Amino acid sequence: MIRTVIALATACLVAAAAHAQDAPTARETAERWLDAYETQDFDAIRALLTDGSRFIDPTSFERPEVSNPIDWTGPDAIIEGIAAWGMTAGHYTIHNTFEASGRVVFQAEMRVTYGAGEAAVSYLYPIVTIVTVEDGHVAEHRDYTDFNGMRRAQ
């Protein structure tokens, strides 16, 4: 009887360890999220979100150049908000990153391009982005954007 219990417990531990190895880490999920965000891959963005996911930038509140404060919940609102910017491309140049307790912190500069061809205009935004990951999904994308440090890219 004891051998049976020990064998079952061992099998459960092995199965749990194998499952944990298959699950993406918080960093892997956060990096997939940034890739989808940079390329405006709305299908990939939607796949990483849940109904309770939140996208927020408290530094956008009370900024005259930001017509609608950035604080959206749920895939539809997040995708609608991001799409409304008219961003055609984005690229994070990451200066520092670390992970703790399911939060992946990126200190970066983000190059954002609006428009295409001759009409394209790019800006560089100093930014800290914190991506909170729960169960392999983005629970929250939180930006702290240095709008005062934003400059037009050459």
Side-chain angles (χ1 to χ4, degrees):
M1 177 69 170
I2 291 176
R3 286 184 186 168
T4 303
V5 170
I6 291 173
L8 286 173
T10 302
C12 288
L13 288 173
V14 169
H19 176 70
Q21 289 175 353
D22 292 341
T25 66
R27 185 179 300 262
E28 290 167 339
T29 300
E31 289 172 351
R32 280 198 340 255
W33 167 257
L34 285 188
D35 288 343
Y37 177 49
E38 286 176 326
T39 60
Q40 302 289 277
D41 182 344
F42 295 120
D43 290 334
I45 287 173
R46 184 176 297 282
L48 288 166
L49 298 173
T50 68
D51 290 341
S53 295
R54 185 177 188 198
F55 190 112
I56 183 171
D57 184 344
T59 56
S60 73
F61 301 171
E62 301 180 27
R63 295 292 305 197
E65 68 272 23
V66 180
S67 57
N68 293 313
I70 300 166
D71 189 0
W72 310 307
T73 301
D76 292 337
I78 292 169
I79 290 169
E80 181 180 312
I82 293 170
W85 291 335
M87 182 172 102
T88 52
H91 177 73
Y92 274 83
T93 299
I94 297 170
H95 304 299
N96 192 18
T97 183
F98 63 91
E99 175 186 352
S101 302
R103 288 169 178 80
V104 183
V105 179
F106 300 95
Q107 179 203 8
E109 182 171 69
M110 188 172 187
R111 180 186 187 103
V112 179
T113 303
Y114 303 96
E118 296 287 324
V121 178
S122 296
Y123 297 93
L124 299 170
Y125 294 88
I127 194 166
V128 172
T129 296
I130 304 168
V131 179
T132 303
V133 176
E134 295 174 357
D135 299 323
H137 290 89
V138 174
E140 183 177 82
H141 172 124
R142 179 175 290 264
D143 283 334
Y144 293 94
T145 305
D146 180 1
F147 287 101
N148 291 333
M150 179 271 300
R151 65 193 188 284
R152 190 167 175 167
Q154 302 298 327

